[in-house]
């Protein structure tokens, strides 16, 4: 017999083809079950049967009253177990509050055995769990599990393995957990040895080694693990359409514990080990991490210092740097909002405010009140960028995992690089094209989000109050965070007006800078013909176009700090569009694009899809050049009102150098390329308004009226 | 005292059937332990009202720390009105006058100790919620249900750790019909049942109609038939026996 066969034989139910819910149900319902004895029958002298309670694996259970009025449960053991009954006397005399008392084993006139035991009116854990599909909650779980563990520990302590722990055998007797059927499972194990297999009823709680026939108390630990899992989640970890499938899962599958919080997760994980020796060896060992103890009298005690674990809500981890603030808010909400952690940020802040009234002494909620940073940071990450990022993270993980195979990485790296270079002709335009598509999507999304982030009056009031209460000068960082939050709450109309102003400034600045460049760069002695002016106009136009793109995006980005990847992708698209426009414009202005392409690399190495045989750049070359130029630098820093200085020459220099560097790879006519980059960097900084960080000293002054 | 019956439903529970429209609720009489065997006659013969102490006992007798007449429950038309004689709470509200009950109401009868405390504290400002909370802790708690829209019968379920005499899982206040079946609107909910069974009490006799295939002591029955106490009825997955007490 294979282990599976043995297990199935062990668990053969009374019905010939057990359905999955029959396994679960312990068949305590009378559905399809006929009770042999009706109310009023007296098959066992001294007891009057009142009603059937249920049909378990061992036989029918009745509620009966003795002649003196004692209420009992009578279990009619269907098989004649004379031989085994001698061995159960110590089971009969077990005494523990969490065990259903066995009073006696009696025989009726027909020689049939009846177990007389304590009657428990409360419902079984089976029906409790069935009534709560998502789990019975942590508090109830702990209550049930404490009683259950104490009872099982007492059984183990008495040298008895229950062998059939399952929710259908556990009852709630007015708050006291009662374990039933322990004595009878002893019968069953004995009869099994004789080849008289008897129903155990369910496979869901059966440890894998049961099929091998060699088992000990570890199978109870295993069942405890399953029951704990089921109480927390409402489902069993190993379920299937057929008994065979369930047993296979017990033997091979790992439980999915993703929905279970610590410390339960690790306790269940260990209890469900396939190898019995890897499980907890005692019940005490199992319950200790859960903050449950069994005292010297065998009673379960919930440790007073045990704090309920924080169930992690999805979305928390996505916030990255925002976590400290978010958690602070969540703590302020704790016990009030409950599961509302996914509510909009605004709700959090106000519930945080409400918490002030009943906040325990010494707990500072001040820092988690409405905080502009929180508002700014909590703006959800753009979903495409997020999925890309998570994909990247997974790749990185895989990459890290390759450490075990030395050399693999280098080979893969070289292989990947070769593939990339060989296919650069179509890869680069494709990437640019995708980025171009991404731009409108990103802008529309950002704009709709900005509408939803409009502050309510109450929120604005809250900000004002919070500002007025600020006692000490802010650090530069705090000031920036606060201003950032205020930028985030700007009305769209204000934003558009500011943008219009910036764009006008940018136009003038670009023209002025191009004029300046012309004055400086124009070759003396050459007449200022239209041919000589055209390249400067071209540079100014390209720079202006790119500046418009960066300024518009900068207006959207000023609400949040940082956030590199998605911004770069957007800029890549903008750059590609600018490059295309540059090509068209050059064509229109009749600027010879093959001028001054001098660089250090041989012309013949240029990708043929981007450059003609004679080295004249095609549209793809300009697109790629400007895409890389825009994506390569953090332009949003220049377009940020909260940048460090009004105008940074350094930023202009970096742009020019970057342009030159790109020129080595994808040449464009020079010096126009570098002039364009320089003008762009300068125009963006000139056109973007700037908030002087020194303002913070003024802002910190409570007498200074805040302007929101 | 009016006649009482216990309905034993296999796999579901035992129900005390109280026909009529006026019931007292109270604790055991002062001498309840002397002659009574809790109404559970060993022979199944109904315990007669002639036993010592039984005449004083409330129809709904809770083995708790209550006075013999704690409250009175009346059916007026289709409504149930609770008239407290001592400290009683409906939800967490003190009852002082007859109050109609609604489906799902929770009733707490303060124990005698708790209600005396309540009286003692009534003068002080603390008589409000704090005292009510203590009464809630100590009291006998029932939930009231009138589940079926077409039947004015109701169900009282004991929530606290007390016992009703005779021992039962719930009390059916019988107006006319009592419906057993799988749905929540039945007076006696048998989750595994396939069809409903209607019990009717009229002029001291019980009638039964099973919606599914019905057997009485193993013999098939059709339509409405008289339900004789002590016979076992099986219908649509429900098996029950009526016992007179």
């Amino acid at each position: 017999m294979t282990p599976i066969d043995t297990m199935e034989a062990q668990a053969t139910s009374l019905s010939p083809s057990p359905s999955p819910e029959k396994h679960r149900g312990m068949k305590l319902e009378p559905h399809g079950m006929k009770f042999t004895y009706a109310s009023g029958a007296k098959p066992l002298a001294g007891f009057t049967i009142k009603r059937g309670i249920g049909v378990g694996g061992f036989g029918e259970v009745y509620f009966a009253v003795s002649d003196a009025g004692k209420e009992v449960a009578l279990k009619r053991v269907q098989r004649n177990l004379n031989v085994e009954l001698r061995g159960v006397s110590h089971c009969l005399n077990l005494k523990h509050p969490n065990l259903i008392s066995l009073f006696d084993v009696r025989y009726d006139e027909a020689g049939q055995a009846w177990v007389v035991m304590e009657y428990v009116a409360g419902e079984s854990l089976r029906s409790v769990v069935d009534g709560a599909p998502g789990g019975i909650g942590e508090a109830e779980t702990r209550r049930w599990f404490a009683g259950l563990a104490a009872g099982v520990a007492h059984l183990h302590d008495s040298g008895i393995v229950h062998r059939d722990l399952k929710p259908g055998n556990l009852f709630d007797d007015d708050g006291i957990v009662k374990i039933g059927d322990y004595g009878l499972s002893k019968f069953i194990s004995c009869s099994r040895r004789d080849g008289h297999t008897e129903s155990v009823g369910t496979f869901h709680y059966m440890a894998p080694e049961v099929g091998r026939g060699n088992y000990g108390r570890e199978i109870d630990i295993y069942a405890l693990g399953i029951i704990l899992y089921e109480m927390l989640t409402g489902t069993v970890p190993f379920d299937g359409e057929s008994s065979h499938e369930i047993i296979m899962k017990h033997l091979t599958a790992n439980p999915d514990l993703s929905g279970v919080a610590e410390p339960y997760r690790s306790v269940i994980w260990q209890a469900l080990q396939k190898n019995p020796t890897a499980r907890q060896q005692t019940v005490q060992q199992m319950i200790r991490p859960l903050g449950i103890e069994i005292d010297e009298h065998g009673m379960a005690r919930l440790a007073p210092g045990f704090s309920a674990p924080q169930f992690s809500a999805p979305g928390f981890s996505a916030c990255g740097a925002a976590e400290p603030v978010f958690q602070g808010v969540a703590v302020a909400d704790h016990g009030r909002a409950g599961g509302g952690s996914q509510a909009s940020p605004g709700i959090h802040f106000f519930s945080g405010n409400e918490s002030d009234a009943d906040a325990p002494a010494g707990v500072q909620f001040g820092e988690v009140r409405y905080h502009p940073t929180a508002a700014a940071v909590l703006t959800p990450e753009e979903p495409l960028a997020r999925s890309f990022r998570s994909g990247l993270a997974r790749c990185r993980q895989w990459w890290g995992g390759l450490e075990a195979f030395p050399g693999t990485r280098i080979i893969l790296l070289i292989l990947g690089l070769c593939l990339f270079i060989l296919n650069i002709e179509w890869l680069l335009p494709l990437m640019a094209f995708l980025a171009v598509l991404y731009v409108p999507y990103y802008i529309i999304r950002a704009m709709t989000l900005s509408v939803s982030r409009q502050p309510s009056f109450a929120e604005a009031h809250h900000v004002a109050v919070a500002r007025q209460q600020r006692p000490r000068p802010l650090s530069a960082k705090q000031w920036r965070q606060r201003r950032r939050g205020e930028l985030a709450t700007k009305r769209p109309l204000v934003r558009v007006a500011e943008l219009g102003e910036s764009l006008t400034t940018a136009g003038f600045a670009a023209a002025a800078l191009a004029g300046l460049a012309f004055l400086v760069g124009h070759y003396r002695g050459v007449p200022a013909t239209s041919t000589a002016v055209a390249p400067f106009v071209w540079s100014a136009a390209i720079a202006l176009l790119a500046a418009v793109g960066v300024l518009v995006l900068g207006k959207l980005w000023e609400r949040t700090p940082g956030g590199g990847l998605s911004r770069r992708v957007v800029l890549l698209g903008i750059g590609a569009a600018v490059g295309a426009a540059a090509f068209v414009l050059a064509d229109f202005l009749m600027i010879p694009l093959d001028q001054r392409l001098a660089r250090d690399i041989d012309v013949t190495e240029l990708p043929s899809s981007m450059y003609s045989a004679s080295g004249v750049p095609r549209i793809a070359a300009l697109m790629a050049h400007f895409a890389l130029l825009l994506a390569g630098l953090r332009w949003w820093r220049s377009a940020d009102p909260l940048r460090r200085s009004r105008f940074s020459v350094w930023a202009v220099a970096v742009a020019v150098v970057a342009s030159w560097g790109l020129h080595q790879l994808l040449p464009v006519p020079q010096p126009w390329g570098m002039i364009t980059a320089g003008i762009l960097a300068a125009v963006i900084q000139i056109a973007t308004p700037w908030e002087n960080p020194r303002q913070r000293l003024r802002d910190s002054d409570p007498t200074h009226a805040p302007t929101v | 005292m009016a006649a009482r019956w216990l309905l034993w439903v296999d796999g579901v529970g035992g129900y005390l059937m109280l026909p009529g429209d006026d019931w007292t609720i109270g604790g055991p009489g002062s001498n309840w332990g002397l002659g009574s065997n809790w109404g559970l006659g060993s022979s199944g013969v109904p315990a007669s009202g002639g036993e010592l102490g039984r005449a004083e006992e409330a129809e709904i007798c809770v083995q708790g720390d209550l006075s013999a007449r704690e409250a009175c429950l009346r059916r007026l038309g289709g409504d149930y009105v609770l008239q407290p004689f001592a400290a009683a709470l409906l939800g967490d509200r003190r009852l002082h006058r007859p109050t109609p009950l609604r489906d799902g109401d929770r009733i707490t009868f303060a124990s005698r100790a708790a209600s005396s405390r309540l009286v003692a504290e009534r003068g002080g400002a603390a008589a409000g919620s704090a005292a009510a909370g203590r009464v809630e802790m100590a009291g006998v708690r029932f939930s009231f249900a009138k589940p079926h829209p077409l039947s004015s019968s109701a169900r009282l379920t004991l929530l606290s750790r007390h016992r009703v005499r005779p021992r039962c899982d719930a009390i059916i206040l019988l107006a006319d019909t009592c419906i057993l079946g799988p749905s929540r609107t039945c007076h006696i909910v048998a989750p595994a049942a396939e069809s409903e069974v209607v019990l009717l009490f009229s002029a001291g006799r019980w009638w039964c109609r099973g919606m599914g295939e019905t057997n009485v002591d193993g013999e098939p029955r059709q339509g409405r038939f008289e339900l004789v106490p002590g016979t076992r009825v099986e219908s649509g997955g429900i098996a029950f026996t009526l016992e007179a007490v």
Side-chain angles (χ1 to χ4, degrees), chain B residues 6-192:
Chain B
L6 274 167
L7 188 71
W8 297 103
V9 187
D10 279 350
V12 178
Y15 295 84
L16 180 61
M17 314 294 276
L18 294 180
D21 33 39
D22 192 342
W23 307 271
T24 52
I25 301 171
S30 55
N31 45 6
W32 60 270
L34 295 180
S36 161
N37 62 358
W38 304 6
L40 289 164
S42 57
S43 55
V45 173
S48 74
E51 271 179 284
L52 193 62
R54 286 297 296 269
E56 305 157 17
E57 199 173 275
E59 275 107 352
I60 300 171
C61 176
V62 184
Q63 198 180 332
D65 187 15
L66 299 179
S67 57
R69 270 169 60 85
E70 190 76 18
C72 171
L73 190 56
R74 272 194 200 96
R75 182 173 47 238
L76 300 171
D79 290 328
Y80 287 79
V81 176
L82 181 73
Q83 182 176 6
F85 301 131
L89 299 172
L90 185 64
D92 48 8
R93 190 161 48 90
R94 253 320 273 282
L95 286 187
H96 297 289
R97 59 184 67 84
T99 308
L101 296 179
R102 283 169 306 178
D103 185 50
D105 271 347
R106 302 207 159 191
I107 310 152
T108 308
F109 299 108
S111 69
R112 278 187 284 205
S115 65
S116 65
R117 239 193 348 261
L118 198 68
V119 170
E121 287 174 8
R122 193 175 284 168
S129 57
R134 230 168 305 153
V135 171
E136 182 95 50
M137 292 284 286
V140 173
R141 271 180 300 136
F142 281 104
S143 81
F144 173 84
K146 195 160 160 279
H148 203 280
L150 296 179
S151 167
S152 41
S153 297
R155 183 179 67 221
L156 269 184
T157 312
L158 196 57
L159 298 175
S160 56
R161 203 188 161 92
H162 292 92
R163 301 164 55 94
V164 178
R165 290 168 45 190
R167 195 227 172 278
C168 62
D169 293 296
I171 299 158
I172 305 294
L173 306 170
L174 203 68
D176 38 27
T177 54
C178 171
I179 297 146
L180 292 81
S183 82
R184 290 259 148 231
T185 57
C186 295
H187 300 107
I188 296 174
V189 182

Side-chain angles (χ1 to χ4, degrees), chain A residues 30-271:
Chain A
H31 184 71
M33 291 294 164
K34 296 265 191 290
F35 286 93
T36 314
Y37 297 100
S39 181
K42 299 177 83 174
L44 191 63
F47 295 96
T48 309
I49 283 177
K50 290 297 176 187
R51 68 178 180 94
I53 296 172
V55 180
F58 316 103
E60 300 159 338
V61 186
Y62 295 93
F63 169 61
V65 180
S66 81
D67 290 349
K70 177 71 178 171
E71 292 165 4
V72 294
L74 286 183
K75 190 164 266 193
R76 177 174 176 250
V77 182
Q78 281 162 331
R79 201 168 285 278
N80 193 343
L81 299 165
N82 272 335
V83 184
E84 285 77 18
L85 287 178
R86 262 180 285 142
V88 298
S89 57
H90 59 302
C91 253
L92 274 174
N93 291 310
L94 283 181
K95 268 179 123 172
H96 192 273
N98 295 116
L99 299 178
I100 286 182
S101 302
L102 300 181
F103 296 141
D104 207 354
V105 178
R106 300 253 188 113
Y107 297 87
D108 62 15
E109 285 161 0
Q112 194 141 51
W114 293 80
V115 180
V116 185
M117 52 192 194
E118 178 185 0
Y119 172 66
V120 177
E123 54 182 347
S124 73
L125 181 58
R126 174 80 275 135
S127 55
V128 173
V129 170
D130 286 348
I136 64 173
E138 202 203 344
E140 272 296 281
T141 299
R142 292 175 63 73
R143 184 178 74 79
W144 274 96
F145 201 70
L148 173 56
V152 175
H154 186 76
L155 281 177
H156 287 183
D157 210 30
S158 315
I160 293 165
V161 180
H162 189 295
R163 291 180 174 85
D164 193 22
L165 284 172
K166 58 188 176 189
N169 275 344
L170 310 173
F171 302 91
D172 181 10
D173 185 25
D174 236 328
I176 298 169
V177 178
K178 296 271 187 183
I179 304 173
D181 265 358
Y182 53 92
L184 294 171
S185 47
K186 177 79 180 172
F187 297 173
I188 292 313
S189 74
C190 296
S191 65
R192 192 184 59 82
R193 251 191 279 117
D194 294 349
H196 298 122
T197 52
E198 189 65 70
S199 165
V200 176
T202 173
F203 309 96
H204 288 96
Y205 309 90
M206 203 178 272
E209 71 269 22
V210 172
R212 293 193 286 272
N214 178 24
Y215 49 78
R217 59 176 66 168
E218 298 88 3
I219 66 165
D220 284 349
I221 301 281
Y222 188 88
L224 284 177
I226 303 245
I227 293 168
L228 183 58
Y229 181 95
E230 193 179 8
M231 285 194 289
L232 287 169
T233 65
T235 53
V236 284
F238 305 116
D239 205 350
E241 290 298 308
S242 65
S243 51
H244 191 265
E245 189 184 340
I246 298 166
I247 292 167
M248 275 315 291
K249 283 185 180 168
H250 279 302
L251 289 168
T252 57
N254 281 327
D256 171 21
L257 297 176
S258 54
V260 182
E262 290 291 353
Y264 303 99
R265 184 193 300 214
S266 41
V267 169
I268 295 171
W269 179 257
Q270 200 188 345

Side-chain angles (χ1 to χ4, degrees), chain A residues 310-598:
Chain A
Q310 297 286 322
F311 283 82
S312 59
F316 269 41
S317 52
C319 292
E323 266 185 12
V325 176
F326 205 119
Q327 278 171 359
V329 174
V331 169
D333 272 359
H334 191 71
R336 177 179 296 276
S341 48
Q342 281 99 339
S344 73
I347 291 169
H348 273 296
F349 303 129
F350 292 113
S351 44
N353 183 33
E354 284 166 12
S355 307
D356 286 0
D358 47 10
V363 177
Q364 285 293 328
F365 285 100
E367 284 306 304
V368 295
R369 273 202 210 116
Y370 179 85
H371 205 290
T373 343
V377 174
L378 286 174
T379 309
E381 198 186 1
E382 195 279 305
L384 286 181
R386 188 174 53 213
S387 63
F388 184 74
R389 188 196 300 278
S390 70
L392 215 59
R394 238 171 283 140
C395 284
R396 202 175 296 138
Q397 211 175 0
W398 168 77
W399 190 250
L402 286 178
E403 238 166 23
F405 313 99
T408 321
R409 280 193 194 182
I410 296 165
I411 292 169
L412 278 175
L413 208 61
I414 292 169
L415 208 68
L417 213 61
C418 286
L419 278 174
F420 181 76
I421 289 169
L422 283 176
N423 294 296
I424 196 164
E425 292 178 13
W426 61 271
L427 266 182
L428 220 54
L430 179 73
M431 282 160 72
F433 177 69
L434 286 179
V436 168
L437 284 186
Y438 186 68
V439 173
Y441 163 76
Y442 182 88
I443 291 177
I444 290 169
R445 185 175 181 279
M447 291 188 66
T448 44
L449 270 186
S450 101
V451 172
S452 67
R453 262 301 302 153
Q454 282 314 300
S456 67
F457 175 76
E459 202 172 347
H461 174 74
H462 201 102
V463 174
V465 171
R467 285 181 54 152
Q468 275 172 344
Q469 288 171 345
R470 190 155 281 111
R472 55 187 150 67
L474 297 166
S475 72
K477 197 177 167 195
Q478 281 174 323
W479 174 82
R480 201 167 290 127
Q481 285 178 344
R482 237 186 70 214
R483 291 299 299 162
R484 178 84 61 206
E486 288 171 13
L487 289 176
T489 56
K490 228 187 270 175
R491 296 208 159 274
L493 203 64
V494 176
R495 217 182 284 277
V496 168
E498 282 179 0
L499 182 64
E501 203 178 312
S502 289
L503 293 183
T504 316
T505 317
F508 283 118
L513 285 170
L516 193 70
F518 179 73
L519 288 180
V520 173
H522 181 62
Y523 296 102
R524 303 277 172 256
V526 179
T529 57
S530 56
T531 346
V533 177
F536 288 99
V537 175
W538 184 68
S539 288
I542 301 168
L544 182 62
L545 206 61
V548 167
V550 174
L551 286 171
V552 169
L553 289 167
K555 215 64 209 157
L556 296 172
W557 287 338
E558 70 180 9
R559 295 169 297 149
T560 55
L565 186 66
S566 57
R567 290 184 179 189
R568 279 183 201 274
V569 173
V570 171
L571 283 172
L572 194 73
I574 296 274
V578 167
F583 185 83
V584 173
L585 199 64
D587 200 38
F588 178 74
L589 293 174
M590 290 185 289
I591 295 169
L593 281 175
D594 53 348
Q595 261 188 356
R596 304 190 202 200
L597 286 166

